[in-house]
Amino acid sequence: EAEELPAALEGLSDKIRLAMVLHYVEGYPVGGVAKLLRIPAGTVKWRLSQGRKQLRERMKEEGS
């Protein structure tokens, strides 16, 4: 499964992927991601939520 994650991340939009990588891979808190990207924290949270949802759907499809 760990090998599939980079490929799954590549399937996300650039904005969502960047937020996901900064938060989950690089370890930045939501506020830190917001400052780096110059967007509201709520937008970061939405992108993370959408990214998780899309990854779940992709993993589910591949598992079927």
Side-chain angles (χ1 to χ4, degrees):
E1 289 182 12
E3 306 86 39
E4 297 171 2
L5 188 58
L9 284 172
E10 287 182 20
L12 300 174
S13 72
D14 290 342
K15 290 179 179 182
I16 291 176
R17 183 177 58 246
L18 182 56
M20 298 280 287
V21 168
L22 287 173
H23 183 68
Y24 293 113
V25 177
E26 299 296 328
Y28 285 93
V30 170
V33 175
K35 284 182 182 179
L36 283 171
L37 300 180
R38 297 181 179 163
I39 59 175
T43 302
V44 173
K45 291 177 184 180
W46 182 86
R47 290 179 184 178
L48 294 173
S49 174
Q50 290 299 305
R52 288 190 307 268
K53 179 181 173 184
Q54 291 175 23
L55 285 176
R56 269 194 307 272
E57 290 171 2
R58 285 200 176 97
M59 297 295 201
K60 192 176 191 182
E61 289 172 4
E62 291 176 8
S64 298

